[in-house]
Amino acid sequence: MTEVTLSAGVLEYEDTGGDGPVLVLLHGVAMNGSLWRHVVADLRSDFRCVVPTLPLGAHRRPMRPDADLTVPGVAHLVAEFLEALDLRDVTLVMNDWGGAQALVADGRDQRIGRLVITSCEAFDNFPPGLPGRNLLASAKVPGGLRLAFSLLKLRSMRRLPVTWGWMSKRPVPHEVMDEWFRPLWTSAAIRRDLRAYVLGVPPRDELLRWADALRTFDRPALVVWATEDKVMPPDHGRRLADMLPQGRLVTIADSLTLIPEDQPHRLSEAIRAFVPLS
């Protein structure tokens, strides 16, 4: 892992290097860049894969206490990350977390050449579905996040619909989930960061403004959606593709939200077909 110091604190990231087109791959809440491990393995021979660990709960370095960790604050941190690494004409790939849509709405998308939006938060589905509502309820109660994630030390709890059961059809390996959750188990500062994020969802009108702003994104865009998704409504995929001027939709069967876990090779194939190598 490599580190970069940004206004909010230190972000860790993986960078495969190379001269190929740059993919920046973004994960969701209580996950880190390892969500993309299979996709990166498929694509790293031809693409430069840059995978930051966002301050969404699985990060190992707490952010500054005064950092803006609202949803738009973390989105702006992504823009700052691209600037700090001087990455240009990137293909920005997001799964589960949809906050990067705010970059388009706020005019901070100059370094983005292409978008790949895969089963993620959109419209007013923030925080998303049953797991998101459960997380929000926990964040509102003092000590709630500590209790919620302590329960996830019990492996039987991880496949419940209110936790991770509706996130992937195939269980995420326990050693991977242990890595995701460990910072929340061991650090009050990390739980503070996550709480700031979960409670920092903008009003519904602002969320809908982000989605509507995608109509102004005049570059290629690929929407990849899981047909069986229970957390991110499948019709959101079609709506997003229709809104994007150069958008097109690819659907993936036999998968829930975490397509990089359930169908990584099919997702890799879709990205290869979408992003030219020269």
Side-chain angles (χ1 to χ4, degrees):
M1 297 290 284
T2 307
E3 297 180 350
V4 60
T5 301
L6 304 177
S7 61
V10 175
L11 247 63
E12 294 183 315
Y13 66 97
E14 177 187 359
D15 187 347
T16 63
D19 298 324
V22 178
L23 308 178
V24 176
L25 303 115
L26 306 178
H27 60 82
V29 168
M31 298 176 234
N32 62 25
S34 67
L35 171 70
W36 295 101
R37 63 197 183 281
H38 300 306
V39 173
V40 169
D42 281 349
L43 298 178
R44 65 183 302 157
S45 61
D46 295 310
F47 297 88
R48 178 184 174 187
C49 299
V50 181
V51 192
T53 290
L54 301 177
L56 300 178
H59 55 300
R60 298 185 298 180
R61 301 283 294 272
M63 297 293 103
R64 297 191 178 104
D66 61 347
D68 179 2
L69 298 180
T70 61
V71 178
V74 175
H76 294 163
L77 202 60
V78 172
E80 190 179 341
F81 175 77
L82 300 181
E83 293 165 6
L85 272 62
D86 194 25
L87 300 175
R88 302 174 185 273
D89 195 31
V90 306
T91 297
L92 192 69
V93 188
M94 64 190 91
N95 177 246
D96 185 35
W97 184 62
Q101 296 168 63
L103 298 183
V104 177
D106 294 346
R108 303 192 64 172
D109 58 337
Q110 296 89 346
R111 293 174 179 267
I112 302 171
R114 293 169 179 263
L115 274 178
V116 178
I117 302 174
T118 80
S119 284
C120 68
E121 299 163 316
F123 304 103
D124 57 352
N125 189 33
F126 285 78
L130 183 59
R133 292 193 295 272
N134 183 53
L135 184 64
L136 177 60
S138 298
K140 289 180 175 179
V141 178
L145 288 178
R146 181 175 184 177
L147 174 60
F149 282 93
S150 292
L151 291 173
L152 290 176
K153 291 180 180 179
L154 302 173
R155 294 180 171 183
S156 60
M157 297 290 292
R158 298 177 180 182
R159 295 300 294 169
L160 297 178
V162 294
T163 60
W164 292 82
W166 282 0
M167 295 300 292
S168 64
K169 292 191 75 172
R170 296 152 188 81
V172 178
H174 287 301
E175 61 271 19
V176 173
M177 298 193 88
D178 288 345
E179 179 189 350
W180 291 353
F181 301 151
R182 189 169 292 112
L184 288 162
W185 292 338
T186 59
S187 172
I190 297 294
R191 294 193 295 272
R192 173 206 67 201
D193 289 350
L194 178 59
R195 184 172 186 271
Y197 173 80
V198 174
L199 297 181
V201 175
R204 182 175 184 271
D205 288 350
E206 178 70 2
L207 297 173
L208 295 178
R209 182 183 74 84
W210 292 358
D212 194 62
L214 293 177
R215 300 181 191 277
T216 69
F217 188 80
D218 58 356
R219 283 142 278 170
L222 177 67
V223 179
V224 183
W225 221 264
T227 59
E228 300 172 51
D229 207 317
K230 299 179 180 179
V231 177
M232 314 297 178
D235 72 292
H236 282 189
R238 168 52 63 192
R239 289 171 62 189
L240 288 172
D242 289 344
M243 294 173 75
L244 288 154
Q246 296 188 50
R248 65 183 181 90
L249 175 67
V250 171
T251 58
I252 292 185
D254 195 26
S255 178
L256 296 179
T257 301
L258 299 185
I259 302 174
E261 287 288 340
D262 279 336
Q263 296 292 345
H265 304 305
R266 293 184 62 190
L267 179 55
S268 299
E269 290 171 357
I271 293 173
R272 276 191 184 277
F274 175 65
V275 182
L277 291 177
S278 60

